[in-house]
Amino acid sequence: MNRVAILLVFISILIVGCKTNPPTSNDNNPPATGKIFITANVDSAVIFIDNINSGKVTPDTVETTAGTHEVRLEKENYLPSVKSVEVFKNTLVQVEFNLVQASFNKLILLEDFANVSCFPCVTSNQIIHSLVNSTYGHDKLVAIKYPTNFPSPNDPFYIANSTDSDARISYYNIFSAPTTIIDGTERPISTDSISIKEAIDQQLLVTPKFYVNVTDSIAGSVYYIKV
């Protein structure tokens, strides 16, 4: 073997032997965590962290990652309460909530099915308009109108939104116009104001089983609604 060949073999051995291990990655290191001790003026309120049920109730301690978190408490018959909490590594933060007992007014849903060619529907419309705007007000009574395709299939309101109307007509098995439904169960006589008012008053006596909280905000050209 000549000197050139010996030199090439020696260089090859050096290249192969110069491998090094890559630096150790820190990606497997667990994130820094801290704890929140959460208390309230009432016990057994469900604790949510960033809209996720923690599976714990007050008073209790929840462990989470370091940083800012939204803590929410919910308990039946109480208004939910939310606080923003800063959690630090290996630190216990104490947060106290004051839940307010809920007192909600019953809101009645009135759904009315009508058609532009239906003469009795005129009377029904007048009754509903008076009940919503004069008798009860919008904080107690909400009315939704659904146009039907009978007796006339050419009702322009039905044609404009037949999909939603058909779905509701099918849900309630509506066969005549006008038809008025109170809170999804009661069917008073649509042309009788006394009958409709009695059905509404009966439902107002029922204790609400849930509430809907709606807030809105505007950011630039975007309109946000949170329910």
Side-chain angles (χ1 to χ4, degrees):
M1 183 182 294
N2 57 36
R3 294 183 179 180
V4 176
I6 294 173
L7 181 60
L8 290 175
V9 171
F10 179 71
I11 293 174
S12 176
I13 292 173
L14 286 177
I15 293 175
V16 172
C18 287
K19 292 182 179 179
T20 58
N21 293 325
T24 302
S25 173
N26 293 324
D27 292 343
N28 294 326
N29 292 342
T33 62
K35 295 181 179 180
I36 312 173
F37 178 57
I38 304 166
T39 61
N41 57 322
V42 292
D43 292 340
S44 301
V46 181
I47 301 172
F48 291 81
I49 305 295
D50 297 328
N51 292 320
I52 298 176
N53 191 333
S54 68
K56 297 185 177 183
V57 297
T58 56
D60 209 335
T61 301
V62 178
E63 183 174 1
T64 185
T65 55
T68 303
H69 296 276
E70 181 186 89
V71 179
R72 184 175 81 252
L73 296 189
E74 290 188 5
K75 184 176 176 65
E76 187 175 0
N77 297 323
Y78 286 84
L79 294 173
S81 183
V82 179
K83 287 187 177 182
S84 180
V85 180
E86 183 74 18
V87 177
F88 300 95
K89 179 181 179 180
N90 299 328
T91 303
L92 176 66
V93 180
Q94 183 170 345
V95 181
E96 184 175 356
F97 285 80
N98 183 31
L99 298 182
V100 179
Q101 195 161 8
S103 177
F104 301 106
N105 295 323
K106 181 66 183 292
L107 182 63
I108 304 299
L109 174 63
L110 183 153
E111 297 171 276
D112 189 68
F113 298 81
N115 186 276
V116 293
S117 65
C118 161
F119 181 75
C121 294
V122 176
T123 303
S124 174
N125 285 336
Q126 293 172 341
I127 292 173
I128 293 172
H129 184 272
S130 176
L131 291 174
V132 172
N133 294 284
S134 301
T135 306
Y136 294 101
H138 295 276
D139 58 337
K140 287 187 177 181
L141 180 62
V142 171
I144 300 178
K145 302 284 292 184
Y146 291 98
T148 63
N149 60 342
F150 49 82
S152 170
N154 298 318
D155 184 319
F157 299 104
Y158 172 80
I159 294 173
N161 191 20
S162 60
T163 301
D164 289 340
S165 295
D166 285 342
R168 211 62 177 162
I169 290 170
S170 175
Y171 178 80
Y172 284 122
N173 293 320
I174 304 298
F175 296 106
S176 62
T179 295
T180 303
I181 299 180
I182 306 297
D183 273 357
T185 58
E186 306 298 320
R187 297 196 181 207
I189 301 173
S190 299
T191 55
D192 185 349
S193 61
I194 295 177
S195 176
I196 298 177
K197 190 175 184 302
E198 287 178 347
I200 294 173
D201 290 340
Q202 177 181 334
Q203 291 303 111
L204 283 172
L205 297 176
V206 178
T207 302
K209 296 182 179 180
F210 65 91
Y211 66 92
V212 178
N213 182 44
V214 181
T215 58
D216 64 342
S217 61
I218 298 177
S221 59
V222 181
Y223 181 44
Y224 294 95
I225 299 177
K226 183 179 181 180
V227 180

